[in-house]
Amino acid sequence: MDATEFRRRGKEMVDLIADYLENIEQRPVYPDVEPGYLRSLIPEEAPEESETYEDVVKDIERVIMPGVTHWHSPYFYAYFPTANSFPAMLADMLSGAIGCIGFSWAASPACTELETVMMDWLGKMLKLPEDFIAGTHGQGGGVIQGTASEATLVALLAARSRAVRMILASDPQRPETGITSKLVAYSSDQAHCSVERAGMIAGVRMKKIPTEQSDKYAVQGETLRRMIQEDKAAGLIPFYFCATLGTTPSCAFDHITELGPICNAEKIWMHIDAAYAGSSFICPEFRPLLNGIEFADSFNFNPHKWLLVNFDCSTMWVRKRSDLIGAFKMDPLYLKHDHQESGLVTDYRHWQIPLGRRFRSLKMWFVFRMYGLKGLQDYIRKHVELAKEFESLVRADQRFEISADVVLGLVCFRLKGSNEVNETLLKRINNGRKIHLVPCQLSGQFVLRFAVCARTTESRHIREAWRLITQLAEEVMQELPH
């Protein structure tokens, strides 16, 4: 394919994408295929000779689309949203074309410098403390990670490195293995499974802090304090706590104004995971949910969930960048460059686990400029309003109950009755393939999660989804033994 054909095919692909997204709600939201469906549809080996572009494009509908879960359908209400906007898609095209591997400033100065500035722009939208903003007298700054799971792991590894350094500074003779074997980290029992997985990868024990429905599934300061004291008495070394703002099961918020001072007093690294909810903090009415950020060592959320920046773009800030760099810095001769010790540049390879990185900040630059802060705030508010509309529909039906506070765009609800009845209802909903939901468990109860996800979701989609849910609920309840 030469540049002339690329111009033509590129325009055709833009049309294909626009048609797909404009007509997405006409497709079943969830695929009707069995595992292994795809292998029989394509050859066993790659072709020897080149094929035409037309042949490849024809196979998109035949091979790919039957097995796609349509995350951007207005009938998709599962998990949490994944962001999607035309400005971000255009920026991704440009990123792919530039094709730089921005592991250092010298590898592509614009890639590094735009990221630093975009992280500052976003940090200011969130009204983060100056400590986290690179373009200030503070010692912190921001970096784009691939996912919140990576950010949690990076923060945990940096915390482990800092804890070991601090102990060795006061007791140089102590063997390092004797320290790491006693380290203990904490997270809520509502935290995402990636937090527990980070502990497994880092080789440190991770303890789950129990939460109660009466506390709205939030970690309480007193519970954390008690666990820390018990572990210290047992000879362990508490070093890391992952607080969650907007948990995956129910969008619960840990009390970081209570938890932060405890972590600071105990020299425990506090990381805040706000993967979903963080986008909402650009709205003044939701910013109080982030109060206590001043106590954190690191903070992360995913613009690729709810801020119209396509995957992947997980933004992470640290209070002291030296804590991060100290854990990951490697400087072989082939990666050195003239400006690296000047203090004027950032080499993001020291801030992450991979070496290579894409030009992801282009997506932020396009989206922030073409939507503006006001447009982004309007988008968040619309989703929250739609969730409140769904909540009011649930509350108006005596057969159903709300299982957790509706704070943002997630509604947790269930039929009054047994877990089995709710499992049957969810199975009927998803087997119908008209709408798609996933469950969670809260206080031993099987609960249905309804998350407003797609950019194009409107009130009519919410009402249609509710009509379908109540119709299936009626069928399920009629089948119950009387």
Side-chain angles (χ1 to χ4, degrees):
M1 185 183 288
D2 59 17
T4 303
E5 187 183 359
F6 176 72
R7 288 176 194 278
R8 189 166 87 255
R9 301 308 189 189
K11 292 181 178 78
E12 289 172 10
M13 181 54 76
V14 167
D15 283 342
L16 187 152
I17 291 166
D19 288 345
Y20 165 69
L21 290 170
E22 277 194 320
N23 301 302
I24 196 169
E25 65 183 87
Q26 290 163 26
R27 296 175 183 265
V29 66
Y30 194 70
D32 186 10
V33 294
E34 293 299 320
Y37 90 95
L38 189 143
R39 186 174 283 276
S40 65
L41 299 178
I42 57 176
E44 283 294 312
E45 294 174 0
E48 285 281 335
E49 302 294 333
S50 64
E51 296 182 23
T52 66
Y53 181 77
E54 285 87 353
D55 287 340
V56 177
V57 168
K58 261 189 284 188
D59 278 350
I60 294 172
E61 208 57 54
R62 184 181 71 87
V63 178
I64 304 302
M65 286 301 173
V68 170
T69 301
H70 299 286
W71 282 65
H72 301 291
S73 166
Y75 296 117
F76 182 92
Y77 304 108
Y79 312 108
F80 276 132
T82 182
N84 179 290
S85 71
F86 295 119
M89 283 183 252
L90 292 171
D92 233 357
M93 283 173 65
L94 180 58
S95 172
I98 292 172
C100 63
I101 311 296
F103 49 75
S104 69
W105 179 86
S108 203
C111 181
T112 293
E113 295 200 11
L114 187 65
E115 181 161 336
T116 303
V117 177
M118 287 304 99
M119 292 300 294
D120 279 1
W121 276 18
L122 185 51
K124 289 170 185 173
M125 287 186 215
L126 297 162
K127 297 191 166 36
L128 292 185
E130 278 208 348
D131 291 356
F132 292 96
I133 307 296
T136 66
H137 298 299
Q139 300 176 324
V143 59
I144 301 173
Q145 305 285 358
T147 63
S149 307
E150 283 175 54
T152 302
L153 176 59
V154 164
L156 180 67
L157 294 171
R160 186 184 70 178
S161 173
R162 186 180 77 171
V164 170
R165 282 199 314 272
M166 281 165 53
I167 292 164
L168 288 176
S170 60
D171 187 2
Q173 303 307 312
R174 192 165 175 179
E176 196 169 313
T177 51
I179 300 169
T180 52
S181 64
K182 296 203 176 298
L183 292 175
V184 59
Y186 306 94
S187 75
S188 163
D189 63 0
Q190 301 293 307
H192 195 272
C193 61
S194 60
V195 181
E196 189 176 358
R197 192 159 172 260
M200 289 167 59
I201 295 168
V204 297
R205 72 188 83 194
M206 177 75 68
K207 293 197 172 184
K208 292 183 180 181
I209 304 169
T211 58
E212 302 292 338
Q213 186 174 10
S214 56
D215 296 321
K216 300 180 180 178
Y217 300 107
V219 171
Q220 304 296 301
E222 202 41 58
T223 316
L224 175 63
R225 185 182 279 113
R226 186 176 66 250
M227 287 181 72
I228 290 169
Q229 296 311 325
E230 287 171 2
D231 286 340
K232 285 168 72 174
L236 298 177
I237 306 167
F239 80 104
Y240 175 87
F241 168 60
C242 180
T244 307
L245 298 180
T247 59
T248 301
S250 67
C251 201
F253 291 80
D254 290 337
H255 295 161
I256 56 174
T257 48
E258 278 181 37
L259 301 161
I262 296 168
C263 291
N264 289 180
E266 296 287 349
K267 293 186 169 54
I268 291 171
W269 182 299
M270 183 167 81
H271 175 68
I272 296 174
D273 171 10
Y276 163 66
S279 296
S280 74
F281 304 155
I282 65 169
C283 299
E285 65 269 35
F286 301 124
R287 177 56 179 79
L289 295 168
L290 188 56
N291 288 352
I293 179 66
E294 62 272 17
F295 302 112
D297 294 279
S298 53
F299 166 66
N300 164 251
F301 83 97
N302 291 342
H304 69 228
K305 273 194 169 67
W306 205 16
L307 210 59
L308 296 165
V309 179
N310 288 44
F311 188 86
D312 59 331
C313 181
S314 185
T315 48
M316 178 187 187
W317 290 264
V318 286
R319 177 182 299 283
K320 282 186 72 177
R321 51 185 174 263
S322 58
D323 286 335
L324 215 54
I325 294 165
F328 297 107
K329 188 165 185 175
M330 300 287 283
D331 259 333
L333 183 60
Y334 50 82
L335 294 179
K336 288 183 184 291
H337 59 89
D338 291 345
H339 296 281
Q340 68 179 43
E341 303 302 337
S342 67
L344 300 173
V345 301
T346 296
D347 284 339
Y348 277 124
R349 70 178 184 274
H350 303 314
W351 295 55
Q352 61 176 23
I353 292 165
L355 175 68
R357 51 208 331 278
R358 298 189 309 115
F359 202 163
R360 292 175 289 208
S361 56
L362 280 171
K363 293 182 287 192
M364 297 170 74
W365 195 46
F366 274 49
V367 169
F368 294 167
R369 293 180 68 185
M370 296 183 74
Y371 277 89
L373 176 57
K374 188 174 181 306
L376 295 170
Q377 289 170 335
D378 289 346
Y379 175 68
I380 296 288
R381 287 171 180 141
K382 180 181 174 184
H383 272 200
V384 176
E385 282 168 18
L386 290 170
K388 291 290 186 187
E389 180 179 356
F390 185 80
E391 178 192 14
S392 67
L393 292 169
V394 176
R395 289 193 185 279
D397 191 319
Q398 293 303 305
R399 298 169 298 176
F400 288 87
E401 59 190 356
I402 295 288
S403 303
D405 282 6
V406 179
V407 182
L408 298 173
L410 174 69
V411 183
C412 292
F413 73 106
R414 66 195 303 277
L415 268 173
K416 291 173 184 172
S418 68
N419 284 346
E420 289 71 25
V421 168
N422 283 281
E423 285 176 40
T424 303
L425 174 59
L426 182 66
K427 200 168 281 185
R428 295 273 176 91
I429 289 168
N430 287 336
N431 285 349
R433 296 183 166 80
K434 289 181 178 153
I435 64 173
H436 189 46
L437 279 69
V438 295
C440 68
Q441 193 166 52
L442 294 172
S443 303
Q445 291 190 323
F446 186 91
V447 172
L448 281 66
R449 295 170 75 264
F450 186 97
V452 181
C453 289
R455 176 174 51 82
T456 54
T457 307
E458 300 288 347
S459 175
R460 67 181 174 87
H461 301 113
I462 301 295
R463 292 195 302 271
E464 203 172 319
W466 180 243
R467 268 198 304 276
L468 184 69
I469 291 166
T470 51
Q471 180 188 323
L472 292 171
E474 185 69 36
E475 290 174 19
V476 169
M477 292 181 82
Q478 281 176 358
E479 291 165 14
L480 289 174
H482 293 292

